[in-house]
Amino acid sequence: MSSESTRSLPKPDPIIDQFVIDPDVVYLNHGSFGACPKSVLEAQVIHSLKAERELVRFYVQDAWSKIDRSRIALSCVVQCNPQDLVFVHNATTGVATVLENLDLKPGDELLVTNCEYQACLNNFERIAKRTGAKVVVADIPWPIEDDVDLVEAVHSKVTDRTKIALLSLITSSTGIRFPVEVLIPSLKDRGVETLLDAAHGPGCVPMNISAWGAAYTTGNAHKWLCAPKGAAFLHVRSDLQDGFTPLVVSNDALKLEEASAKTNRTPFMHAFDYAGTDDVSMYLTIADSIEWLEAAHPDGIDGVMERNRTMCLEARRLICDRLGVEPPLSESMIGPLATIDLPSGNMTAPEIKQRLLDDYRIQVPVWGTPAGTVSVRISVQLYNSMEQYEYLADALCAILKR
Ligand SMILES: Cc1ncc(COP(=O)(O)O)c(C=O)c1O
């Protein structure tokens, strides 16, 4: 720490002792890379060790019931039929898998918003280049008053050539909770299916995949469910599963019916559950991370989500007040992630971010918004405390001379 900041680091929530987070860093970026508790990492090691005892038995027999344990646990969190849920290593893979399964032709339009995650957009651009389809961007205003403007911005870009719409449940850099319960059905009424990017989904905000009705939903367990890295899911609506394949097909691809009858799962599930010699320990551990999170709050995962959102709103109010800026979104539009425009003067986003890290040991993203302003995005997870956001507010005031 530089001499500029002589005070000691703020205390996180005591639950941080269950994590391996560096005590010399004020970690306010669960949104980018979610921390995993030690006991959950240990559970993953135990799954791996058990597999290593008898690898053939594991890969051809024991793995199925263990994968299903996580499948069932996760389906309760995201509210869907477990049979419609498969595992992939991250949300970006989920998006790429869906795109590979679409029958795209020159002139087809792929609708995205200006708030989608760059890796997902890159996959959209790549498939568009290969197929002759076109990526069409709906510009979500920033700041934004309410859902109506957002819905209108998306609808305004729908044409009769629109093949699919990519929507985030919570946008990465701006932290907007999209009104998916309105958008998914209204797009469907216009003949457009949705690919929902719920990277910030399970454990972040309440989800109901069955009720929302998206054609495809992908999301991460390794963010807000605190699962080990490489643990994500893809939900494919039952009417779209026939012939839907993973990015890489494996041994049983040409005899899926026969193979899946032996493993007592649908061909869709079998195609994803058996991907050859792949590490599935992170998938098996999703059930353990859900158990950990359920036990971490008297009201279970619902209580965790409520606690994190409440603290996020309080932290956002505090930082906005201290900096003398208006919050860019109404409270109803955010979860445990919040973006705040900074009165940055002549300072660039990378400069502010680096000062926060070097002088105050704060790990938090500072980046641009769709309006070209500079913003800070805070995340709130169980190990964070209000004291940490007060410290961030002090640091921002000092750096930005407020
Ligand atoms: C909205 C959104 N979508 C997709 C992703 C990509 O997640 P992953 O890196 O796990 O593929 C992120 C990552 O932060 C994200 O915020």
Side-chain angles (χ1 to χ4, degrees):
M1 243 195 278
S2 82
S3 55
E4 207 166 318
S5 167
T6 47
R7 65 187 263 190
S8 57
L9 294 183
K11 281 196 180 52
D13 187 280
I15 205 171
I16 201 158
D17 292 344
Q18 296 189 40
F19 291 78
V20 288
I21 297 171
D22 183 349
D24 285 332
V25 168
V26 181
Y27 193 67
L28 305 182
N29 196 4
H30 194 91
S32 289
F33 298 101
C36 180
K38 285 177 225 173
S39 63
V40 175
L41 290 168
E42 282 160 9
Q44 181 183 17
V45 172
I46 290 168
H47 287 303
S48 295
L49 288 173
K50 283 189 182 161
E52 290 289 335
R53 269 175 67 82
E54 223 293 36
L55 285 160
V56 173
R57 199 178 70 198
F58 177 78
Y59 276 104
V60 304
Q61 176 186 320
D62 292 355
W64 315 122
S65 61
K66 293 173 190 289
I67 291 177
D68 287 344
R69 171 176 167 255
S70 283
R71 171 176 275 134
I72 290 165
L74 183 60
S75 69
C76 294
V77 176
V78 299
Q79 299 201 48
C80 70
N81 179 347
Q83 297 210 339
D84 300 336
L85 203 62
V86 292
F87 295 114
V88 290
H89 284 306
N90 58 29
T92 311
T93 306
V95 167
T97 306
V98 170
L99 291 176
E100 257 338 292
N101 278 277
L102 297 178
D103 180 21
L104 295 175
K105 303 204 171 43
D108 285 345
E109 293 181 0
L110 312 173
L111 176 55
V112 301
T113 78
N114 59 341
C115 294
E116 301 313 318
Y117 190 70
Q118 192 60 49
C120 303
L121 292 176
N122 292 346
N123 279 280
F124 268 69
E125 289 294 349
R126 186 176 69 164
I127 198 107
K129 202 165 167 196
R130 204 173 78 213
T131 59
K134 190 172 124 197
V135 177
V136 174
V137 183
D139 284 326
I140 308 298
W142 183 267
I144 182 162
E145 288 282 308
D146 59 34
D147 285 356
V148 178
D149 296 344
L150 197 158
V151 171
E152 181 43 39
V154 174
H155 285 172
S156 71
K157 293 291 178 174
V158 172
T159 74
D160 55 7
R161 294 181 300 278
T162 312
K163 260 295 213 210
I164 190 99
L166 172 70
L167 298 178
S168 290
L169 176 56
I170 294 207
T171 61
S172 172
S173 65
T174 42
I176 309 172
R177 198 289 194 182
F178 273 16
V180 295
E181 45 288 277
V182 174
L183 273 169
I184 295 168
S186 63
L187 284 169
K188 189 120 201 280
D189 286 348
R190 290 163 170 76
V192 178
E193 294 283 10
T194 296
L195 163 50
L196 180 63
D197 171 5
H200 302 280
C204 181
V205 286
M207 290 184 68
N208 194 334
I209 290 183
S210 295
W212 295 344
Y216 313 97
T217 303
T218 188
N220 286 328
H222 57 217
K223 284 194 194 289
W224 297 92
L225 286 180
C226 299
K229 306 298 164 285
F233 72 88
L234 175 61
H235 176 275
V236 177
R237 216 174 51 213
S238 56
D239 56 299
L240 298 165
Q241 288 171 13
D242 197 19
F244 189 98
T245 61
L247 272 188
V248 178
V249 294
S250 191
N251 285 13
D252 296 333
L254 300 181
K255 45 172 182 163
L256 267 184
E257 293 284 345
E258 196 186 317
S260 60
K262 285 195 195 130
T263 58
N264 198 23
R265 56 208 54 238
T266 64
F268 166 69
M269 288 157 76
H270 186 92
F272 281 84
D273 287 359
Y274 184 62
T277 319
D278 189 14
D279 187 359
V280 294
S281 63
M282 56 287 281
Y283 301 160
L284 311 192
T285 314
I286 291 173
D288 303 288
S289 70
I290 291 172
E291 279 174 15
W292 182 87
L293 207 58
E294 282 287 359
H297 192 281
D299 296 325
I301 293 180
D302 287 345
V304 172
M305 293 189 289
E306 188 53 38
R307 180 252 183 217
N308 291 341
R309 179 168 182 275
T310 303
M311 187 178 287
C312 185
L313 290 174
E314 196 183 334
R316 187 179 82 143
R317 275 194 295 270
L318 171 94
I319 296 167
C320 286
D321 284 352
R322 294 287 311 279
L323 292 174
V325 297
E326 286 298 315
L329 303 171
S330 67
E331 295 201 341
S332 62
M333 294 174 84
I334 65 173
L337 279 176
T339 297
I340 298 156
D341 285 319
L342 296 177
S344 54
N346 289 333
M347 289 187 81
T348 64
E351 281 165 357
I352 299 170
K353 181 178 166 33
Q354 206 55 46
R355 286 281 309 276
L356 286 168
L357 189 59
D358 292 346
D359 297 350
Y360 298 90
R361 308 298 302 148
I362 300 174
Q363 186 62 265
V364 72
V366 180
W367 46 34
T369 66
T373 50
V374 170
S375 65
V376 63
R377 187 197 70 183
I378 55 168
S379 302
V380 181
Q381 185 49 292
L382 285 176
Y383 50 79
N384 293 125
S385 66
M386 262 318 283
E387 212 182 301
Q388 293 181 310
Y389 303 99
E390 284 157 14
Y391 177 74
L392 172 64
D394 287 347
L396 285 169
C397 285
I399 292 170
L400 302 174
K401 305 195 178 10
R402 304 298 287 184

